[in-house]
Amino acid sequence: MILKLIAGAVIGGLLGYLYHKKVGCKSGTCPITSSRNGSTIYGAIIGLLLSSSF
């Protein structure tokens, strides 16, 4: 169970980082995706929540 949560958080964080790198908010007006750390942490939280629901 814990391994599934950790894997979900790591995959979500990686996807959040890649989203910032490839798509991201280039103007800096988006509150979540304007910083690399913010989008990575947000992705990790979403990944953790999604992995806990399955």
Side-chain angles (χ1 to χ4, degrees), residues 2-27:
I2 297 215
L3 186 61
K4 181 176 73 168
L5 295 176
I6 292 172
V10 168
I11 291 170
L14 179 64
L15 290 175
Y17 175 77
L18 290 175
Y19 177 80
H20 171 74
K21 205 68 159 155
K22 300 293 180 188
V23 177
C25 187
K26 301 298 180 191
S27 64

Side-chain angles (χ1 to χ4, degrees), residues 12 14 16 25 34 38 40 43 53:
L14 179 64
C25 187
S34 62
T40 303
S53 66

